[in-house]
Amino acid sequence: MLEGPLLGKVFLFSLPLMATNLLQVFYNAADMVVAGMSGVDGAIGSIGTTGAFINLLLNIFMGFSVGTNVVVARCIGKGDREQVQNAVHTSLVMAAIFGIVCTGIGLVISRPILILLGDEGHILELATLYTNIYFAGAPFIAVANYEIAILRAKGDTRTPLFVLTATGLFNVLMNLFFVLVCKMSVDGVALATVLSNVASVILLGIVLMRDEGPCRLELKKLSMDRRAFREIVRDGLPAGLQGALFSLSNMLIQSAIISINNTTCPGGSDIIDGNAAGGSLESFAYTATNSVYQAAVTFTSQHYGAGKFKRIGSVMRNCYLVTTIIALCVSAILLCFRVSLIELYVSAPLAVEAASTRIYVMVIPYFLLAWMEVGSGILRGLGRSFTSTIISLVGTCAFRLIWIWTVVPLFPTLVTVYLSYPISWALTGLLHLTFSLTVRKKLIRTYGEDCKPA
Protein backbone atom coordinates (compact mmCIF):
# COMPACT_ATOMS: atom_id res chain seq x y z
CA MET A 1 0.00 0.00 0.00
CA LEU A 2 2.84 2.38 0.76
CA GLU A 3 4.70 2.27 -2.57
CA GLY A 4 3.91 2.69 -6.27
CA PRO A 5 0.68 3.67 -8.10
CA LEU A 6 -2.46 3.47 -5.99
CA LEU A 7 -5.43 3.25 -8.37
CA GLY A 8 -5.05 -0.43 -9.15
CA LYS A 9 -4.33 -1.24 -5.51
CA VAL A 10 -7.44 0.56 -4.30
CA PHE A 11 -9.49 -1.40 -6.85
CA LEU A 12 -7.84 -4.70 -5.91
CA PHE A 13 -8.47 -4.01 -2.22
CA SER A 14 -12.04 -2.79 -2.75
CA LEU A 15 -13.40 -5.36 -5.22
CA PRO A 16 -13.13 -8.47 -2.98
CA LEU A 17 -14.45 -6.35 -0.13
CA MET A 18 -17.32 -5.15 -2.31
CA ALA A 19 -18.09 -8.72 -3.33
CA THR A 20 -18.10 -9.73 0.34
CA ASN A 21 -20.44 -6.91 1.29
CA LEU A 22 -22.73 -7.57 -1.66
CA LEU A 23 -22.94 -11.23 -0.74
CA GLN A 24 -23.93 -10.29 2.80
CA VAL A 25 -26.62 -7.97 1.45
CA PHE A 26 -27.75 -10.67 -0.95
CA TYR A 27 -28.17 -13.08 1.93
CA ASN A 28 -30.05 -10.44 3.93
CA ALA A 29 -32.27 -9.88 0.92
CA ALA A 30 -32.80 -13.64 0.75
CA ASP A 31 -33.97 -13.45 4.37
CA MET A 32 -36.78 -11.12 3.32
CA VAL A 33 -37.68 -13.06 0.19
CA VAL A 34 -37.78 -16.39 2.03
CA ALA A 35 -39.75 -14.82 4.91
CA GLY A 36 -42.30 -13.70 2.30
CA MET A 37 -42.51 -17.30 1.08
CA SER A 38 -43.81 -18.29 4.50
CA GLY A 39 -47.19 -16.82 3.56
CA VAL A 40 -47.37 -14.89 6.85
CA ASP A 41 -48.91 -11.46 6.25
CA GLY A 42 -46.50 -8.62 7.01
CA ALA A 43 -43.40 -10.83 7.37
CA ILE A 44 -41.31 -8.72 4.99
CA GLY A 45 -42.48 -5.42 6.47
CA SER A 46 -41.88 -6.56 10.04
CA ILE A 47 -38.24 -7.36 9.26
CA GLY A 48 -37.91 -4.01 7.49
CA THR A 49 -39.17 -2.08 10.51
CA THR A 50 -36.50 -3.60 12.76
CA GLY A 51 -33.45 -2.64 10.69
CA ALA A 52 -32.82 0.86 12.05
CA PHE A 53 -33.34 -0.22 15.66
CA ILE A 54 -31.10 -3.29 15.37
CA ASN A 55 -28.41 -1.15 13.75
CA LEU A 56 -28.75 1.44 16.52
CA LEU A 57 -27.53 -1.05 19.12
CA LEU A 58 -25.14 -3.00 16.92
CA ASN A 59 -23.43 0.14 15.58
CA ILE A 60 -22.62 1.36 19.08
CA PHE A 61 -20.58 -1.77 19.69
CA MET A 62 -19.56 -2.67 16.12
CA GLY A 63 -18.09 0.80 15.67
CA PHE A 64 -15.15 -0.33 17.74
CA SER A 65 -14.26 -2.74 14.93
CA VAL A 66 -13.39 0.39 12.92
CA GLY A 67 -11.02 1.23 15.77
CA THR A 68 -9.52 -2.24 15.41
CA ASN A 69 -9.00 -1.68 11.69
CA VAL A 70 -7.37 1.73 12.25
CA VAL A 71 -5.11 0.65 15.13
CA VAL A 72 -3.94 -2.62 13.57
CA ALA A 73 -3.28 -0.97 10.18
CA ARG A 74 -1.43 1.93 11.83
CA CYS A 75 0.79 -0.46 13.82
CA ILE A 76 1.52 -2.47 10.67
CA GLY A 77 2.52 0.78 8.94
CA LYS A 78 4.89 1.55 11.83
CA GLY A 79 6.27 -2.00 11.84
CA ASP A 80 5.33 -2.48 15.51
CA ARG A 81 4.70 -6.26 15.64
CA GLU A 82 4.17 -6.41 19.40
CA GLN A 83 1.49 -3.75 19.38
CA VAL A 84 -0.24 -5.44 16.45
CA GLN A 85 -0.48 -8.59 18.55
CA ASN A 86 -1.82 -6.67 21.53
CA ALA A 87 -4.45 -4.94 19.39
CA VAL A 88 -5.59 -8.21 17.79
CA HIS A 89 -6.16 -10.07 21.03
CA THR A 90 -7.59 -7.10 22.91
CA SER A 91 -10.11 -6.38 20.16
CA LEU A 92 -11.48 -9.92 20.17
CA VAL A 93 -11.98 -9.86 23.94
CA MET A 94 -13.75 -6.51 23.54
CA ALA A 95 -15.95 -7.98 20.79
CA ALA A 96 -17.16 -10.83 23.00
CA ILE A 97 -17.91 -8.51 25.93
CA PHE A 98 -19.69 -5.92 23.77
CA GLY A 99 -21.72 -8.63 22.07
CA ILE A 100 -22.98 -9.99 25.38
CA VAL A 101 -23.91 -6.49 26.58
CA CYS A 102 -25.71 -5.85 23.28
CA THR A 103 -27.72 -9.06 23.76
CA GLY A 104 -28.86 -8.05 27.22
CA ILE A 105 -29.89 -4.55 26.22
CA GLY A 106 -31.59 -5.72 23.02
CA LEU A 107 -33.73 -8.35 24.72
CA VAL A 108 -34.94 -5.85 27.32
CA ILE A 109 -35.82 -2.86 25.15
CA SER A 110 -36.83 -4.39 21.78
CA ARG A 111 -40.59 -4.45 22.24
CA PRO A 112 -40.92 -1.00 23.89
CA ILE A 113 -38.83 0.59 21.14
CA LEU A 114 -40.81 -1.09 18.36
CA ILE A 115 -44.02 0.19 19.95
CA LEU A 116 -42.58 3.71 20.04
CA LEU A 117 -41.76 3.41 16.34
CA GLY A 118 -45.42 2.75 15.62
CA ASP A 119 -45.47 -1.02 15.12
CA GLU A 120 -48.78 -2.53 16.11
CA GLY A 121 -50.82 -5.70 15.82
CA HIS A 122 -49.29 -8.68 14.05
CA ILE A 123 -46.43 -6.53 12.69
CA LEU A 124 -45.36 -5.79 16.27
CA GLU A 125 -45.46 -9.45 17.28
CA LEU A 126 -43.43 -10.58 14.29
CA ALA A 127 -40.88 -7.76 14.67
CA THR A 128 -40.43 -8.50 18.38
CA LEU A 129 -39.88 -12.19 17.71
CA TYR A 130 -37.32 -11.43 15.00
CA THR A 131 -35.32 -8.94 17.08
CA ASN A 132 -35.21 -11.15 20.17
CA ILE A 133 -33.67 -14.05 18.24
CA TYR A 134 -31.35 -11.72 16.31
CA PHE A 135 -29.99 -10.10 19.47
CA ALA A 136 -29.42 -13.53 21.02
CA GLY A 137 -26.75 -13.97 18.37
CA ALA A 138 -25.12 -10.56 18.87
CA PRO A 139 -21.90 -11.93 20.47
CA PHE A 140 -21.20 -14.02 17.38
CA ILE A 141 -22.03 -11.13 15.05
CA ALA A 142 -19.62 -8.92 17.01
CA VAL A 143 -16.70 -11.35 17.06
CA ALA A 144 -17.09 -12.12 13.34
CA ASN A 145 -16.99 -8.40 12.48
CA TYR A 146 -13.85 -7.83 14.55
CA GLU A 147 -12.13 -10.82 12.97
CA ILE A 148 -12.93 -9.40 9.52
CA ALA A 149 -11.59 -5.98 10.61
CA ILE A 150 -8.27 -7.57 11.59
CA LEU A 151 -7.90 -9.28 8.22
CA ARG A 152 -8.79 -6.10 6.32
CA ALA A 153 -6.29 -4.07 8.35
CA LYS A 154 -3.45 -6.16 6.95
CA GLY A 155 -4.81 -5.86 3.42
CA ASP A 156 -6.54 -9.26 3.22
CA THR A 157 -10.01 -8.80 1.73
CA ARG A 158 -10.14 -12.16 -0.05
CA THR A 159 -10.33 -14.42 2.98
CA PRO A 160 -13.48 -12.73 4.36
CA LEU A 161 -14.98 -13.06 0.87
CA PHE A 162 -14.41 -16.81 0.76
CA VAL A 163 -15.58 -17.39 4.33
CA LEU A 164 -18.69 -15.25 4.07
CA THR A 165 -19.57 -16.84 0.73
CA ALA A 166 -19.62 -20.23 2.41
CA THR A 167 -21.49 -19.14 5.53
CA GLY A 168 -23.89 -17.05 3.47
CA LEU A 169 -24.87 -20.07 1.39
CA PHE A 170 -25.33 -21.93 4.65
CA ASN A 171 -27.59 -19.07 5.80
CA VAL A 172 -29.79 -19.36 2.70
CA LEU A 173 -30.07 -23.13 3.06
CA MET A 174 -31.06 -22.75 6.70
CA ASN A 175 -33.60 -20.08 5.72
CA LEU A 176 -35.24 -22.47 3.28
CA PHE A 177 -35.11 -25.35 5.75
CA PHE A 178 -36.67 -23.44 8.66
CA VAL A 179 -39.31 -21.67 6.57
CA LEU A 180 -40.32 -24.29 3.99
CA VAL A 181 -39.66 -27.50 5.93
CA CYS A 182 -40.17 -26.47 9.55
CA LYS A 183 -42.97 -24.00 8.62
CA MET A 184 -41.38 -21.15 10.58
CA SER A 185 -41.49 -17.49 9.56
CA VAL A 186 -39.36 -14.54 10.72
CA ASP A 187 -38.13 -16.66 13.62
CA GLY A 188 -36.62 -19.16 11.20
CA VAL A 189 -34.93 -16.40 9.21
CA ALA A 190 -33.44 -14.87 12.37
CA LEU A 191 -32.25 -18.26 13.63
CA ALA A 192 -30.54 -18.96 10.30
CA THR A 193 -28.71 -15.63 10.58
CA VAL A 194 -27.44 -16.48 14.06
CA LEU A 195 -26.21 -19.93 13.00
CA SER A 196 -24.39 -18.52 9.96
CA ASN A 197 -22.56 -16.02 12.20
CA VAL A 198 -21.51 -18.84 14.53
CA ALA A 199 -20.01 -20.59 11.51
CA SER A 200 -18.25 -17.36 10.44
CA VAL A 201 -16.65 -16.93 13.88
CA ILE A 202 -15.26 -20.47 13.78
CA LEU A 203 -13.90 -20.30 10.22
CA LEU A 204 -12.38 -16.81 10.56
CA GLY A 205 -10.86 -17.82 13.89
CA ILE A 206 -9.17 -20.82 12.26
CA VAL A 207 -7.77 -18.54 9.54
CA LEU A 208 -6.33 -16.12 12.10
CA MET A 209 -4.83 -18.94 14.17
CA ARG A 210 -3.00 -20.18 11.06
CA ASP A 211 -1.71 -16.72 10.13
CA GLU A 212 2.10 -16.55 10.09
CA GLY A 213 2.30 -12.76 10.46
CA PRO A 214 1.78 -10.35 13.37
CA CYS A 215 -2.02 -10.78 13.18
CA ARG A 216 -1.81 -14.40 14.29
CA LEU A 217 -4.44 -15.36 16.87
CA GLU A 218 -3.32 -17.38 19.87
CA LEU A 219 -6.09 -18.24 22.31
CA LYS A 220 -3.75 -18.19 25.30
CA LYS A 221 -2.90 -14.55 24.55
CA LEU A 222 -6.51 -13.33 24.66
CA SER A 223 -6.44 -10.50 27.18
CA MET A 224 -7.01 -6.76 27.53
CA ASP A 225 -3.92 -4.65 26.87
CA ARG A 226 -4.51 -1.17 28.30
CA ARG A 227 -2.73 0.74 25.56
CA ALA A 228 -4.43 -1.19 22.76
CA PHE A 229 -7.79 -0.84 24.50
CA ARG A 230 -7.41 2.94 24.80
CA GLU A 231 -6.41 3.33 21.17
CA ILE A 232 -9.23 1.11 19.87
CA VAL A 233 -11.76 2.98 22.00
CA ARG A 234 -10.35 6.35 20.91
CA ASP A 235 -10.67 5.52 17.23
CA GLY A 236 -13.70 3.23 17.45
CA LEU A 237 -16.02 5.06 19.84
CA PRO A 238 -16.65 7.96 17.45
CA ALA A 239 -17.45 5.49 14.66
CA GLY A 240 -19.87 3.66 16.96
CA LEU A 241 -21.54 6.89 18.01
CA GLN A 242 -21.77 8.03 14.41
CA GLY A 243 -23.39 4.75 13.36
CA ALA A 244 -25.78 4.95 16.30
CA LEU A 245 -26.72 8.52 15.43
CA PHE A 246 -27.36 7.51 11.82
CA SER A 247 -29.58 4.69 13.05
CA LEU A 248 -31.42 7.02 15.44
CA SER A 249 -32.26 9.41 12.61
CA ASN A 250 -33.26 6.42 10.46
CA MET A 251 -35.55 5.20 13.25
CA LEU A 252 -37.38 8.53 13.21
CA ILE A 253 -37.65 8.32 9.44
CA GLN A 254 -38.94 4.76 9.78
CA SER A 255 -41.52 6.01 12.27
CA ALA A 256 -42.66 8.65 9.76
CA ILE A 257 -43.02 5.95 7.09
CA ILE A 258 -45.03 3.73 9.45
CA SER A 259 -47.29 6.72 10.19
CA ILE A 260 -47.84 7.31 6.46
CA ASN A 261 -48.62 3.59 6.05
CA ASN A 262 -51.12 3.57 8.92
CA THR A 263 -52.85 6.63 7.44
CA THR A 264 -52.85 5.43 3.83
CA CYS A 265 -53.77 1.78 4.35
CA PRO A 266 -55.12 1.17 7.89
CA GLY A 267 -54.68 -2.43 8.93
CA GLY A 268 -52.37 -3.12 5.98
CA SER A 269 -48.63 -2.96 5.47
CA ASP A 270 -48.17 -2.20 1.76
CA ILE A 271 -46.10 0.96 2.23
CA ILE A 272 -44.05 -0.64 5.01
CA ASP A 273 -43.44 -3.67 2.80
CA GLY A 274 -42.55 -1.49 -0.20
CA ASN A 275 -40.17 0.64 1.83
CA ALA A 276 -38.50 -2.52 3.17
CA ALA A 277 -38.11 -3.87 -0.36
CA GLY A 278 -36.69 -0.59 -1.65
CA GLY A 279 -34.37 -0.34 1.33
CA SER A 280 -33.11 -3.87 0.75
CA LEU A 281 -32.29 -3.09 -2.89
CA GLU A 282 -30.71 0.24 -1.94
CA SER A 283 -28.44 -1.57 0.49
CA PHE A 284 -26.70 -3.19 -2.48
CA ALA A 285 -25.59 0.28 -3.58
CA TYR A 286 -24.57 1.21 -0.04
CA THR A 287 -22.42 -1.83 0.62
CA ALA A 288 -20.74 -1.52 -2.79
CA THR A 289 -19.65 2.05 -2.04
CA ASN A 290 -18.88 1.21 1.60
CA SER A 291 -16.09 -1.08 0.39
CA VAL A 292 -14.17 2.03 -0.69
CA TYR A 293 -14.82 3.58 2.73
CA GLN A 294 -13.03 0.57 4.23
CA ALA A 295 -10.22 1.02 1.71
CA ALA A 296 -9.95 4.71 2.62
CA VAL A 297 -9.66 3.84 6.33
CA THR A 298 -7.00 1.17 5.78
CA PHE A 299 -4.88 2.98 3.15
CA THR A 300 -4.96 6.27 5.04
CA SER A 301 -4.15 4.58 8.38
CA GLN A 302 -1.13 2.76 6.98
CA HIS A 303 0.18 5.93 5.31
CA TYR A 304 -0.41 7.90 8.50
CA GLY A 305 1.47 5.29 10.51
CA ALA A 306 4.35 5.42 8.01
CA GLY A 307 4.36 9.23 8.03
CA LYS A 308 3.71 9.48 4.25
CA PHE A 309 1.45 12.54 4.50
CA LYS A 310 1.93 13.87 0.97
CA ARG A 311 0.97 10.52 -0.52
CA ILE A 312 -2.31 10.61 1.41
CA GLY A 313 -3.44 13.14 -1.20
CA SER A 314 -3.10 10.41 -3.82
CA VAL A 315 -5.05 8.05 -1.56
CA MET A 316 -7.86 10.59 -1.40
CA ARG A 317 -8.01 11.19 -5.15
CA ASN A 318 -8.04 7.51 -6.00
CA CYS A 319 -10.63 6.59 -3.37
CA TYR A 320 -13.00 9.34 -4.54
CA LEU A 321 -12.55 8.22 -8.16
CA VAL A 322 -13.13 4.53 -7.43
CA THR A 323 -16.19 5.13 -5.25
CA THR A 324 -17.75 7.41 -7.88
CA ILE A 325 -17.34 4.76 -10.59
CA ILE A 326 -18.81 2.04 -8.37
CA ALA A 327 -21.74 4.22 -7.22
CA LEU A 328 -22.72 5.19 -10.77
CA CYS A 329 -22.51 1.60 -12.04
CA VAL A 330 -24.56 0.07 -9.22
CA SER A 331 -27.15 2.87 -9.37
CA ALA A 332 -27.57 2.34 -13.13
CA ILE A 333 -28.13 -1.40 -12.63
CA LEU A 334 -30.74 -0.88 -9.91
CA LEU A 335 -32.61 1.70 -11.96
CA CYS A 336 -32.65 -0.40 -15.13
CA PHE A 337 -33.94 -3.55 -13.42
CA ARG A 338 -35.94 -1.94 -10.60
CA VAL A 339 -39.35 -3.39 -11.49
CA SER A 340 -38.17 -6.98 -11.80
CA LEU A 341 -36.11 -6.69 -8.63
CA ILE A 342 -38.92 -5.13 -6.60
CA GLU A 343 -41.34 -7.86 -7.65
CA LEU A 344 -39.03 -10.44 -6.08
CA TYR A 345 -40.16 -8.98 -2.75
CA VAL A 346 -43.66 -7.57 -3.20
CA SER A 347 -46.46 -7.61 -5.75
CA ALA A 348 -49.15 -5.28 -4.34
CA PRO A 349 -49.33 -2.13 -6.54
CA LEU A 350 -49.01 0.26 -3.59
CA ALA A 351 -45.99 -1.62 -2.27
CA VAL A 352 -44.30 -1.63 -5.69
CA GLU A 353 -44.96 2.11 -6.02
CA ALA A 354 -43.46 2.82 -2.59
CA ALA A 355 -40.33 0.80 -3.41
CA SER A 356 -39.97 2.55 -6.79
CA THR A 357 -40.25 5.96 -5.12
CA ARG A 358 -37.44 5.15 -2.72
CA ILE A 359 -35.17 3.94 -5.51
CA TYR A 360 -35.81 7.00 -7.71
CA VAL A 361 -35.22 9.55 -4.97
CA MET A 362 -32.28 7.90 -3.22
CA VAL A 363 -30.42 5.75 -5.72
CA ILE A 364 -29.94 8.28 -8.54
CA PRO A 365 -27.79 10.65 -6.36
CA TYR A 366 -26.01 7.77 -4.59
CA PHE A 367 -22.58 9.09 -5.57
CA LEU A 368 -23.17 11.78 -2.91
CA LEU A 369 -23.32 9.10 -0.22
CA ALA A 370 -20.20 7.50 -1.70
CA TRP A 371 -18.29 10.79 -1.33
CA MET A 372 -19.56 11.24 2.21
CA GLU A 373 -18.39 7.75 3.20
CA VAL A 374 -14.93 8.12 1.68
CA GLY A 375 -14.43 11.50 3.38
CA SER A 376 -15.37 9.94 6.70
CA GLY A 377 -12.95 7.05 6.16
CA ILE A 378 -10.07 9.37 5.34
CA LEU A 379 -10.66 11.44 8.47
CA ARG A 380 -10.70 8.29 10.61
CA GLY A 381 -7.49 7.09 9.00
CA LEU A 382 -5.93 10.46 9.83
CA GLY A 383 -6.79 9.90 13.49
CA ARG A 384 -9.70 12.37 13.47
CA SER A 385 -12.58 10.03 14.34
CA PHE A 386 -14.25 12.53 16.64
CA THR A 387 -14.10 15.19 13.95
CA SER A 388 -15.83 12.81 11.53
CA THR A 389 -18.49 12.04 14.11
CA ILE A 390 -19.22 15.70 14.86
CA ILE A 391 -19.50 16.46 11.15
CA SER A 392 -21.89 13.55 10.68
CA LEU A 393 -23.89 14.60 13.72
CA VAL A 394 -24.43 18.09 12.31
CA GLY A 395 -24.57 17.42 8.59
CA THR A 396 -26.60 14.23 8.61
CA CYS A 397 -28.35 13.41 11.88
CA ALA A 398 -29.29 16.92 13.04
CA PHE A 399 -30.37 17.88 9.53
CA ARG A 400 -32.60 14.82 9.16
CA LEU A 401 -34.19 15.37 12.55
CA ILE A 402 -34.99 18.98 11.70
CA TRP A 403 -36.34 17.89 8.32
CA ILE A 404 -38.61 15.23 9.83
CA TRP A 405 -39.92 17.62 12.49
CA THR A 406 -40.47 20.62 10.21
CA VAL A 407 -40.78 19.77 6.51
CA VAL A 408 -42.43 16.33 6.61
CA PRO A 409 -45.46 17.49 8.70
CA LEU A 410 -46.10 20.14 6.02
CA PHE A 411 -45.74 17.68 3.14
CA PRO A 412 -46.37 14.17 4.57
CA THR A 413 -45.35 12.10 1.55
CA LEU A 414 -42.74 9.43 0.93
CA VAL A 415 -40.87 11.71 -1.48
CA THR A 416 -40.51 14.37 1.21
CA VAL A 417 -39.22 11.79 3.70
CA TYR A 418 -36.71 10.32 1.27
CA LEU A 419 -35.35 13.70 0.14
CA SER A 420 -33.78 14.17 3.56
CA TYR A 421 -31.15 11.58 2.59
CA PRO A 422 -29.46 13.00 -0.55
CA ILE A 423 -29.51 16.55 0.81
CA SER A 424 -27.76 15.44 4.01
CA TRP A 425 -25.26 13.36 2.02
CA ALA A 426 -24.21 16.40 -0.02
CA LEU A 427 -23.84 18.63 3.04
CA THR A 428 -21.89 16.08 5.09
CA GLY A 429 -19.68 15.01 2.18
CA LEU A 430 -18.59 18.59 1.53
CA LEU A 431 -17.67 19.06 5.19
CA HIS A 432 -15.70 15.78 5.28
CA LEU A 433 -13.69 16.75 2.20
CA THR A 434 -12.92 20.21 3.56
CA PHE A 435 -11.71 18.92 6.93
CA SER A 436 -9.69 16.06 5.37
CA LEU A 437 -7.74 18.52 3.22
CA THR A 438 -7.21 20.82 6.21
CA VAL A 439 -5.89 18.03 8.47
CA ARG A 440 -3.52 16.74 5.79
CA LYS A 441 -2.06 20.20 5.17
CA LYS A 442 -1.56 20.67 8.90
CA LEU A 443 0.30 17.35 9.18
CA ILE A 444 2.60 18.30 6.29
CA ARG A 445 3.34 21.69 7.86
CA THR A 446 4.05 20.10 11.24
CA TYR A 447 6.03 16.97 10.30
CA GLY A 448 7.01 17.38 6.65
CA GLU A 449 5.83 15.41 3.65
CA ASP A 450 7.39 12.08 4.58
CA CYS A 451 8.21 11.84 8.27
CA LYS A 452 6.75 9.73 11.07
CA PRO A 453 4.80 11.80 13.61
CA ALA A 454 6.22 12.06 17.08
Side-chain angles (χ1 to χ4, degrees):
M1 292 185 186
L2 302 177
E3 304 293 340
L6 282 169
L7 181 60
K9 295 175 183 177
V10 172
F11 261 115
L12 288 175
F13 182 94
S14 300
L15 290 179
L17 185 55
M18 180 173 65
T20 304
N21 291 343
L22 288 175
L23 279 171
Q24 287 184 294
V25 174
F26 171 78
Y27 298 137
N28 290 336
D31 287 353
M32 285 194 178
V33 173
V34 175
M37 294 168 62
S38 69
V40 176
D41 184 41
I44 292 177
S46 65
I47 294 176
T49 63
T50 66
F53 164 58
I54 288 175
N55 288 334
L56 172 64
L57 280 186
L58 288 182
N59 284 336
I60 294 175
F61 301 106
M62 300 306 175
F64 289 99
S65 67
V66 176
T68 295
N69 191 328
V70 170
V71 172
V72 173
R74 188 179 298 154
C75 292
I76 290 174
K78 291 179 179 180
D80 190 341
R81 183 184 180 93
E82 180 181 356
Q83 198 55 27
V84 172
Q85 276 278 289
N86 291 337
V88 166
H89 292 92
T90 298
S91 66
L92 293 178
V93 174
M94 292 171 62
I97 294 172
F98 290 158
I100 293 170
V101 173
C102 185
T103 295
I105 296 174
L107 293 176
V108 171
I109 70 173
S110 289
R111 188 177 182 88
I113 293 296
L114 292 170
I115 292 174
L116 286 175
L117 287 175
D119 281 353
E120 55 188 31
H122 69 286
I123 294 290
L124 173 62
E125 299 305 321
L126 290 172
T128 302
L129 177 61
Y130 180 81
T131 52
N132 284 342
I133 297 175
Y134 197 100
F135 279 124
F140 301 104
I141 297 172
V143 174
N145 274 274
Y146 281 64
E147 290 173 328
I148 291 171
I150 292 168
L151 291 169
R152 289 173 179 169
K154 73 187 190 77
D156 182 1
T157 56
R158 294 184 180 182
T159 299
L161 171 60
F162 298 145
V163 171
L164 294 179
T165 297
T167 57
L169 290 172
F170 174 69
N171 185 11
V172 173
L173 291 175
M174 289 296 96
N175 279 339
L176 294 170
F177 173 74
F178 289 134
V179 172
L180 300 183
V181 178
C182 300
K183 304 303 178 183
M184 301 169 73
S185 179
V186 297
D187 49 347
V189 168
L191 182 57
T193 299
V194 172
L195 292 176
S196 68
N197 276 283
V198 173
S200 294
V201 168
I202 295 172
L203 292 176
L204 290 167
I206 291 173
V207 169
L208 287 171
M209 285 189 286
R210 293 180 176 179
D211 189 277
E212 297 299 330
C215 292
R216 180 184 180 89
L217 169 63
E218 299 179 50
L219 298 181
K220 63 182 180 181
K221 290 186 178 180
L222 288 172
S223 61
M224 296 283 280
D225 178 78
R226 291 184 179 180
R227 178 183 170 187
F229 177 79
R230 286 196 303 269
E231 291 184 355
I232 292 171
V233 169
R234 183 191 64 197
D235 290 299
L237 179 59
L241 291 176
Q242 178 175 315
L245 291 170
F246 278 160
S247 297
L248 179 60
S249 65
N250 289 336
M251 285 173 63
L252 293 175
I253 291 172
Q254 179 67 53
S255 181
I257 292 170
I258 293 173
S259 177
I260 293 173
N261 175 87
N262 294 342
T263 302
T264 306
C265 46
S269 60
D270 284 354
I271 290 179
I272 293 176
D273 292 347
N275 177 71
S280 179
L281 291 173
E282 178 214 326
S283 62
F284 283 91
Y286 173 75
T287 52
T289 57
N290 183 257
S291 64
V292 191
Y293 160 79
Q294 298 288 346
V297 171
T298 303
F299 275 75
T300 306
S301 295
Q302 286 211 16
H303 281 80
Y304 180 85
K308 294 179 176 289
F309 303 125
K310 182 179 180 180
R311 189 172 156 88
I312 289 175
S314 181
V315 172
M316 294 174 65
R317 289 189 297 272
N318 283 282
C319 285
Y320 275 107
L321 175 60
V322 171
T323 201
T324 300
I325 293 171
I326 291 174
L328 293 176
C329 290
V330 176
S331 295
I333 293 171
L334 290 178
L335 287 170
C336 289
F337 299 100
R338 66 187 180 281
V339 175
S340 299
L341 293 172
I342 290 170
E343 289 180 348
L344 292 174
Y345 298 82
V346 294
S347 57
L350 191 57
V352 173
E353 181 183 352
S356 297
T357 299
R358 176 164 184 148
I359 289 176
Y360 274 122
V361 176
M362 295 177 59
V363 170
I364 291 176
Y366 225 75
F367 64 91
L368 295 174
L369 173 67
W371 292 349
M372 181 187 79
E373 289 280 295
V374 165
S376 175
I378 290 168
L379 273 177
R380 295 194 189 288
L382 289 169
R384 301 299 191 275
S385 285
F386 275 105
T387 302
S388 176
T389 297
I390 296 300
I391 291 172
S392 298
L393 173 61
V394 175
T396 301
C397 302
F399 173 83
R400 290 178 188 172
L401 295 180
I402 294 171
W403 184 274
I404 292 297
W405 289 335
T406 58
V407 179
V408 172
L410 297 176
F411 306 97
T413 66
L414 286 177
V415 172
T416 307
V417 173
Y418 293 147
L419 278 174
S420 64
Y421 284 95
I423 297 174
S424 65
W425 296 337
L427 176 61
T428 308
L430 180 60
L431 291 172
H432 277 146
L433 175 60
T434 301
F435 275 84
S436 296
L437 292 172
T438 302
V439 171
R440 174 176 169 269
K441 288 180 180 178
K442 183 177 179 180
L443 288 170
I444 291 175
R445 286 197 305 267
T446 305
Y447 302 109
E449 294 181 350
D450 191 2
C451 178
K452 288 189 178 183

